[in-house]
Amino acid sequence: MQKYLSTLSNSPFFSGLDEKQILSILNCLNASTITKKKDSYIFRAGETTDVMGMILSGSAFIIQEDLWGHRNILSKCNVGDFFGEPYAAKPGAVLNISVVAHEDCEILLLNVRRILVTCKIACEHHQRVIRNLVEVLSNKVMIFNDKITHVSKRTTRDKLLSYLSTESIKRGSLSFDIQFDRQQLADFLCVERAAMSAEISKLQKEGLIKTNRNHFEIIIGDLQGI
């Protein structure tokens, strides 16, 4: 695990821990690593799991799919991000989401139930990890709340503007890159790609935004008149 220490040290889950403490926690949580090829499933809906995952390299999507193959992207996991925590924490919980590698990935697996049961000596760094886990889960709740805000809008135009506004606020800039390509953004907003692309073109023609691939710029003066 030594080669992953730099990545782990920058993860909110291991915040406040030195390298020795991180290695101790990894041992306590039965840490292991796996690799997954692009487009392969890491977790699949309908299964159960007693481990949560962390992206060590590459990226992955948390998705929901129906029987007809329609895909709803819930969020994207980049290096340092976790997935599967709630399902791993509850014995027998059946996954209603899948996690799919967006590119070739290395993944750290941790037995989350061992986090929730403190070790016999109740070491301080174990207590710190429990607090960090609560913060990680809280952040994930906020991410999903943002998505609910976007997809609850009535029109594709409103969903787009809601998403772009939130991303702009997060970045602290009217000019920013998003983490999705056009199809992925349509899947995230739960809209048809063609309809979304048409709305993006309209917004550009109206002078409300500028865009080039995954880069967007909001023209705030015009948006005030909506």
Side-chain angles (χ1 to χ4, degrees), residues 3-225:
K3 68 176 182 178
Y4 302 115
L5 282 175
S6 177
T7 298
L8 298 176
S9 296
N10 291 320
S11 168
F13 182 72
F14 294 103
S15 175
L17 303 180
D18 60 32
E19 292 187 355
K20 182 177 180 181
Q21 291 170 333
I22 291 173
L23 290 172
S24 175
I25 287 295
L26 293 177
N27 180 65
C28 182
L29 304 184
N30 293 337
S32 61
T33 60
I34 59 172
T35 58
K36 289 288 183 177
K37 293 293 186 181
K38 179 181 179 179
D39 296 327
S40 62
Y41 283 82
I42 303 168
F43 289 167
R44 190 185 291 269
E47 299 175 343
T48 61
T49 182
D50 59 2
V51 295
M52 65 181 190
M54 174 187 171
I55 302 294
L56 295 171
S57 67
S59 60
F61 286 124
I62 298 177
I63 66 170
Q64 288 181 321
E65 294 175 299
D66 62 23
L67 294 176
W68 296 270
H70 301 128
R71 175 173 289 192
N72 171 18
I73 294 178
L74 299 179
S75 65
K76 185 178 182 180
C77 295
N78 297 304
V79 172
D81 290 336
F82 280 90
F83 54 87
E85 312 95 306
Y87 303 95
K90 184 177 181 180
V94 177
L95 290 158
N96 73 338
I97 54 95
S98 295
V99 184
V100 178
H102 175 51
E103 51 194 329
D104 291 353
C105 291
E106 291 180 283
I107 301 142
L108 175 70
L109 300 178
L110 301 171
N111 189 317
V112 68
R113 294 174 205 167
R114 292 178 64 91
I115 300 174
L116 303 177
V117 179
T118 56
C119 54
K120 293 180 181 179
I121 61 174
C123 53
E124 172 58 28
H125 53 275
H126 196 131
Q127 297 295 326
R128 182 59 185 261
V129 167
I130 293 174
R131 295 195 295 272
N132 289 347
L133 177 60
V134 172
E135 292 181 11
V136 168
L137 290 171
S138 297
N139 183 63
K140 185 160 291 186
V141 169
M142 290 188 285
I143 291 173
F144 287 136
N145 280 344
D146 283 344
K147 178 180 170 67
I148 291 171
T149 297
H150 307 326
V151 301
S152 65
K153 303 298 183 182
R154 291 183 179 275
T155 67
T156 298
R157 179 190 182 98
D158 289 341
K159 291 178 181 181
L160 273 168
L161 291 176
S162 175
Y163 172 75
L164 294 174
S165 175
T166 297
E167 291 300 301
S168 174
I169 292 170
K170 286 180 179 178
R171 305 293 197 284
S173 173
L174 296 176
S175 180
F176 52 91
D177 293 333
I178 67 171
Q179 59 183 339
F180 301 125
D181 63 26
R182 288 291 190 265
Q183 183 60 59
Q184 292 160 2
L185 180 58
D187 291 341
F188 178 75
L189 295 176
C190 302
V191 297
E192 293 293 334
R193 177 177 176 174
M196 185 194 70
S197 295
E199 287 297 335
I200 290 174
S201 295
K202 288 179 183 178
L203 289 169
Q204 290 188 91
K205 290 178 181 178
E206 293 169 19
L208 302 177
I209 64 170
K210 295 180 181 178
T211 182
N212 180 24
R213 301 176 71 87
N214 70 329
H215 183 80
F216 284 82
E217 180 180 350
I218 296 176
I219 314 301
I220 193 68
D222 294 321
L223 280 175
Q224 289 176 339

